[in-house]
Amino acid sequence: MAKIRVNKPGLRLRLYIAGNAPNSLRAITNLKAICDEHFPTECVLEIVDLLVHPARALADGIIVTPTLLKLSPLPVQKVIGTLSDTNQVCVALASR
Amino acid sequence: MKLNSPHTVVTKMLTGIQGFDEITDGGLPRGRTTLVMGGPGCGKTVFALQSLVTGATRRKEAGIFVAFEESTRQIVANAATFGWDLPGLAKKKLFFLDAQLSPDVVKAGEFDLVGMLTVLQAKAEEIRAKWIVFDGIDVLLSLLDDSVAERREIYRIRDWLFQTGLTGIITQKISGIDADHRYGFLQFMVDCVVVLRHQVVDGSAFRNLRVMKYRGSGFAADEFPITLTTAGMQLTNRGPTEFQYDVTDER
């Protein structure tokens, strides 16, 4: 699990990817950049590769990849795509 | 590359839709993709569901139904009128997957179906599925809002179907009479195209079905009226062409 600093209390994220599909790789890079810049304190990021754990998608209701879940603080927010649209992602991650 | 010997005929899968199996001389192309197109309420989902149910009940073939538009609970409830015991089948032979994106999902960039297809492949292997239906895929793909990406994902599905050997049915809405040009290329890519129409002619409503294309097989290209009975969809013949010959379904 990659540890990234975020100043908000305990931003817990989970990113579902599909191996090294281009969109998935871009999402990882974009998310790390966003977290470093906008959420530099405690941000816990879990990356789930659906090529390795396909059952996780059915259990967690994941349809497309890449999909980002903001698990906490609530409300849980789902963001799909390469996360290239920085302010869309920031708005979603900052939602309380 | 070994070319198939010329006389390998397309093997087929019965859909159980009376009349359709006759006009296609055996049903849908096995291991290939069929596109079922039509306007709202013309029976696309019923056509796809009935094929799955027939495979499951008559030949014990498992199937996966991926619903992009309507919730599967809704689809199962709507199909209750057909007495197919979908809830019962859903326990063993049919796997229903809800793939509707909820409206509050935020889209922040391009996505793809690589993950979903891997998940479906794992599930197909687990239940040894022979069929898969993508019902209303245009709803998900239009979210991409980029025709190049949409086309790429459709080709990804086609290649995936070819590689998994599943018999695939893709349903797609067409608004208006002609096919929605945005997905026009779909018809060229698939092996079999079935067009369903629901029209009102001086006050009375008609549903009809036409096989527009069937690679590797002859078919009756006329438009046949459809009736929905408690057993499901059924083609009524249009007069002279009687359906006398019955179709065997042993191996």
Side-chain angles (χ1 to χ4, degrees), chain B residues 16 61 81 91 129 139 243:
Chain B
E61 290 164 349
T81 57
K91 289 201 187 61
V139 169
F243 299 134

Side-chain angles (χ1 to χ4, degrees), chain A residues 18 23 50-51 54 57-58 63-66 77-85 88-89, chain B residues 97 99-101 104-112 114-116 118-119 122-123 140 152:
Chain A
N23 289 333
L50 294 183
L51 302 194
L58 296 178
I63 300 160
V64 299
T65 45
Q77 180 70 48
K78 192 184 273 189
V79 183
I80 58 172
T82 55
L83 309 179
S84 50
D85 186 335
Q88 279 272 32
V89 178
Chain B
L97 176 66
Q100 309 96 39
L101 276 178
D104 50 26
V105 166
V106 171
K107 175 172 175 265
E110 202 177 281
F111 57 84
D112 55 59
V114 178
M116 183 184 87
T118 308
V119 171
K123 180 51 85 172
L140 179 67
R152 186 196 63 217

Side-chain angles (χ1 to χ4, degrees), chain A residues 11-69:
Chain A
L11 189 57
R12 212 156 63 78
L13 305 174
R14 187 184 301 151
L15 180 64
Y16 295 85
I17 61 165
N20 45 29
N23 289 333
S24 294
L25 297 182
R26 275 187 218 112
I28 295 173
T29 339
N30 289 335
L31 181 57
K32 287 188 173 161
I34 289 170
C35 284
D36 289 351
E37 199 195 330
H38 297 280
F39 303 93
T41 63
E42 182 55 24
C43 162
V44 174
L45 166 61
E46 177 196 4
I47 295 184
V48 177
D49 184 346
L50 294 183
L51 302 194
V52 180
H53 310 290
R56 282 291 295 273
L58 296 178
D60 305 351
I62 301 304
I63 300 160
V64 299
T65 45
T67 293
L68 171 66
L69 275 190

Side-chain angles (χ1 to χ4, degrees), chain B residues 11-14 26 30 58-59 61 246-251:
Chain B
T11 49
K12 298 182 182 173
M13 310 268 276
L14 285 171
R30 173 185 284 275
R58 280 212 209 148
R59 302 160 69 127
E61 290 164 349
D246 56 356
V247 180
T248 61
D249 63 0
E250 312 94 26
R251 297 269 161 163

